[in-house]
């Protein structure tokens, strides 16, 4: 706490937002006066928070949660303290880790799940390096959920009506929003790199510099808050839904992954310029286990509209060099930068759980010395769809895969499945406009 105290005193902080991510990836926690935060050094909250669904309900199966609903002890990670740049008073935010009464990490907390996976790598003398690319849409404020989302009006007074892939002018239509976004990111030391206009109307992509998995998950977690806040201040929404509009492409979170030894040497490329055995095993692990972790990469009912019906979305577990039709793309690179891009995860995925899932798959491939399929040199879109088609199907794959349970933790899997199954059942209980329009008088 000494480093936190010194930083807060030098910046005259008056309040602290004490944060931690829930299963959805949203921020939970407390806002605490600075003097109380420094005095108490943490906060207490009930573990049952992790089993609350996105609708505010709780699953029918709560057997994995302490029946007494004991409090967790949450302690701040000093590496995560940052300004809240949009606050009126000097305010800090800091991400917390969750512990039980014995000082052990709460195994169902998303940050703990990622730490658990990284511990397997550390025991082998390996360090994963990741670089997420996050897509999102800007949309007009939508106060009635019965109405579809539409692109917002830009500086020229008109909404986008045609595809503007990689258009600089289309990005410039929203310059005031992105100027705020970049200012906020700089104040928080979020290492955002490139901003581009994606395929959809008012769809953007932000790229992050490569680095440590925990740090990058933290940055994606904070960036989502930041982008929503910047958009709100200009009267529109930023949404990370996987498929917010039926006639537009979905939004993904592509994850570039490489592997280093403890001296920083890339283990995926060879000195001759080829791919190492570890690299091929890593790809094979992603191919074998991605169906089992799809629920973590596509965690919401809406996620499967992107995967099953979306354009530019992966249909299977093929891999290829510079082949964007594959779910696993290997960019051209020097051996020192050899990596694979996982294109399965949606923008709606919890970044901690998505990173934990993809790294677990790759680790198992290396551990089991799996061999990948032949490289795909044609369009993978021409091959059959081979991923789970719904959240319910994905959850069944997840709870039946013992190696993934061992990697991510059995209690976490039980809790996650229970929460997401409850969300699926709640969604399935809603009668849609389509059903009323086409079935009411026709069946």
């Amino acid at each position: 706490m000494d480093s936190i105290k010194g930083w807060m005193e030098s910046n005259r902080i008056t309040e602290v937002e004490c944060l931690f991510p829930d299963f959805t990836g949203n921020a939970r926690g407390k806002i605490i006066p600075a003097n109380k935060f420094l005095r108490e050094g943490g906060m207490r909250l009930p573990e049952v928070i992790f089993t609350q669904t996105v609708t505010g309900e709780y699953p029918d199966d709560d057997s994995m949660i302490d029946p007494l609903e004991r409090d967790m002890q949450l302690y701040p990670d000093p590496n995560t303290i940052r300004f809240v740049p949009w606050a009126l008073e000097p305010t800090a935010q800091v991400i917390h880790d969750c512990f039980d009464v014995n000082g052990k990490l709460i195994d169902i907390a998303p940050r703990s799940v990622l730490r658990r996976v990284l511990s397997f790598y550390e025991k082998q003398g390996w360090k994963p390096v990741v670089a997420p690319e996050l897509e999102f849409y800007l949309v007009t404020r939508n106060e009635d959920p019965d109405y579809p989302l539409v692109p917002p009006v830009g500086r020229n007074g008109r909404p986008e009506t045609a595809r503007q892939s990689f258009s600089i002018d289309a990005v410039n239509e929203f310059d005031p929003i992105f100027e705020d976004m970049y200012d906020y990111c700089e104040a928080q030391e979020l290492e955002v790199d490139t901003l581009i206009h994606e395929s959809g109307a008012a769809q953007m992509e932000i790229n992050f510099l490569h680095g440590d998995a925990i740090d990058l998950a933290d940055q994606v977690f904070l960036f989502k808050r930041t982008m929503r806040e910047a958009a709100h201040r200009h009267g529109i929404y930023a949404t990370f839904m996987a498929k917010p509009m039926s006639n537009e492409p979905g939004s993904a979170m592509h994850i570039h992954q490489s592997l280093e030894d403890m001296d920083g040497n890339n283990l995926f490329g060879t000195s001759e310029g080829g791919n190492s055995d570890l690299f091929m095993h890593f790809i094979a692990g992603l191919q074998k286990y991605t169906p089992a972790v799809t629920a973590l990469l596509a965690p919401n009912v809406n996620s499967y509209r992107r995967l099953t019906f979306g354009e530019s979305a992966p249909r299977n577990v093929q891999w290829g060099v510079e082949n964007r039709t594959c779910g696993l793309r290997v960019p051209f690179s020097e051996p020192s930068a050899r990596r694979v891009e996982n294109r399965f995860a949606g923008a709606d995925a919890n970044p901690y759980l998505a990173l934990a899932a993809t790294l677990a798959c790759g680790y198992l491939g290396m551990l089991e010395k799996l061999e990948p399929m032949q490289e795909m040199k044609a369009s993978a879109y021409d091959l059959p769809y081979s991923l789970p088609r719904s959240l319910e199907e994905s959850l069944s794959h997840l709870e039946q895969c013992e190696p993934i349970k061992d990697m991510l933790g059995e209690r976490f899997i039980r809790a996650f499945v229970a929460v997401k199954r409850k969300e699926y059942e709640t969604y399935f209980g809603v009668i849609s406009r389509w059903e009323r329009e086409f079935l009411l008088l026709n069946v």
Side-chain angles (χ1 to χ4, degrees):
M1 288 292 290
D2 288 342
S3 62
I4 291 179
K5 181 180 180 181
W7 185 91
M8 289 175 58
E9 289 178 347
S10 64
N11 289 288
R12 300 181 180 181
I13 298 297
T14 59
E15 285 189 329
V16 183
E17 293 185 355
C18 302
L19 313 175
F20 67 97
D22 65 8
F23 280 179
T24 304
N26 283 329
R28 303 289 184 117
K30 297 179 179 180
I31 300 175
I32 301 176
N35 56 358
K36 182 177 181 180
F37 171 82
L38 292 173
R39 184 171 64 249
E40 297 185 356
M43 60 178 173
R44 292 179 181 271
L45 285 170
E47 184 186 69
V48 72
I49 288 174
F50 288 117
T51 60
Q52 189 173 52
T53 71
V54 73
T55 61
E57 301 173 282
Y58 291 93
D60 300 323
D61 176 15
D62 61 357
S63 60
M64 76 295 298
I65 296 295
D66 183 345
L68 300 181
E69 296 188 12
R70 292 184 177 93
D71 277 350
M72 306 178 290
Q73 181 66 55
L74 286 81
Y75 294 112
D77 180 342
N79 296 318
T80 68
I81 191 160
R82 293 170 164 92
F83 285 107
V84 179
W86 50 83
L88 296 178
E89 297 292 329
T91 303
Q93 58 185 331
V94 60
I95 300 172
H96 287 55
D97 284 307
C98 307
F99 297 86
D100 64 18
V101 294
N102 298 312
K104 293 183 178 180
L105 285 169
I106 296 292
D107 55 358
I108 64 174
R111 217 164 181 255
S112 301
V113 174
L114 179 53
R115 288 192 185 280
R116 177 187 174 98
V117 171
L118 294 176
S119 72
F120 286 99
Y121 278 85
E122 187 176 5
K123 290 174 184 176
Q124 299 287 345
W126 299 333
K127 181 180 179 181
V129 177
V130 300
E133 300 173 346
L134 188 64
E135 298 170 345
F136 60 94
Y137 276 91
L138 300 177
V139 297
T140 298
R141 290 180 66 91
N142 182 270
E143 297 176 0
D144 187 339
D146 283 335
Y147 287 89
L149 300 175
V150 295
V153 172
R155 291 190 306 165
N156 66 11
R158 302 173 65 182
E160 285 186 32
T161 56
R163 299 289 174 88
Q164 301 286 342
S165 302
F166 301 104
S167 169
I168 298 297
D169 291 340
V171 173
N172 290 342
E173 283 297 303
F174 304 103
D175 268 353
I177 299 172
F178 293 125
E179 286 171 4
D180 282 352
M181 180 269 287
Y182 273 115
D183 287 344
Y184 292 161
C185 287
E186 182 178 2
Q188 296 172 90
E189 299 182 348
L190 303 183
E191 296 183 324
V192 295
D193 187 15
T194 307
L195 172 68
I196 64 172
H197 194 295
E198 263 293 344
S199 300
Q203 185 188 31
M204 310 293 169
E205 178 184 280
I206 195 80
N207 298 340
F208 293 81
L209 298 177
H210 67 273
D212 173 77
I214 287 284
D215 181 48
L216 266 298
D218 288 341
Q219 291 194 49
V220 173
F221 169 61
L222 295 174
F223 175 80
K224 286 186 173 184
R225 295 186 78 213
T226 299
M227 192 64 241
R228 290 192 193 102
E229 180 65 28
H232 277 313
R233 288 175 178 265
H234 292 269
I236 66 174
Y237 292 161
T239 179
F240 297 90
M241 283 178 65
K243 183 74 170 170
M245 290 180 275
S246 59
N247 296 322
E248 298 291 345
S251 291
M253 179 172 62
H254 298 151
I255 305 169
H256 290 254
Q257 302 155 91
S258 58
L259 187 68
E260 294 179 348
D261 62 21
M262 293 305 175
D263 293 323
N265 300 306
N266 188 300
L267 298 176
F268 280 170
T270 67
S271 57
E272 296 79 22
N275 298 321
S276 70
D277 290 341
L278 279 177
F279 186 54
M280 303 314 291
H281 298 329
F282 190 94
I283 289 175
L286 286 166
Q287 290 184 315
K288 177 178 178 179
Y289 288 106
T290 287
V293 301
T294 300
L296 299 166
L297 305 175
N300 303 298
V301 289
N302 177 262
S303 308
Y304 297 84
R305 301 186 190 277
R306 168 185 167 258
L307 287 176
T308 309
F309 304 110
E311 56 185 89
S312 302
R315 299 176 52 84
N316 43 55
V317 295
Q318 299 294 325
W319 77 279
V321 177
E322 282 298 347
N323 189 340
R324 280 188 168 83
T325 70
C326 295
L328 300 168
R329 168 180 168 260
V330 177
F332 284 129
S333 65
E334 296 297 321
S336 61
R338 191 61 41 83
R339 63 194 185 277
V340 60
E341 176 191 22
N342 181 332
R343 298 172 63 83
F344 298 108
D348 58 335
N350 179 314
Y352 301 92
L353 300 182
L355 288 175
T358 188
L359 292 175
C361 293
Y363 179 88
L364 289 170
M366 294 187 293
L367 193 70
E368 298 171 14
K369 293 182 168 54
L370 301 177
E371 293 300 327
M373 305 174 190
Q374 288 293 317
E375 178 191 346
M376 187 69 189
K377 297 186 178 180
S379 174
Y381 295 151
D382 295 334
L383 298 180
Y385 187 92
S386 62
L387 300 171
R389 289 184 176 272
S390 69
L391 180 58
E392 176 58 33
E393 185 181 346
S394 293
L395 293 173
S396 296
H397 280 284
L398 180 59
E399 63 186 347
Q400 293 169 16
C401 185
E402 294 302 324
I404 290 296
K405 282 185 183 178
D406 291 340
M407 288 289 298
L408 303 183
E410 190 271 341
R411 191 169 80 106
F412 163 72
I413 297 296
R414 286 172 55 210
F416 183 85
V417 168
V419 168
K420 291 299 173 178
R421 190 159 278 150
K422 180 66 174 181
E423 290 179 0
Y424 181 78
E425 291 169 356
T426 303
Y427 164 80
F428 216 64
V430 177
I431 308 301
S432 70
R433 179 184 182 278
W434 186 95
E435 292 164 280
R436 290 191 294 272
E437 181 172 351
F438 293 106
L439 303 181
L440 181 65
L441 301 175
N442 294 328
V443 295

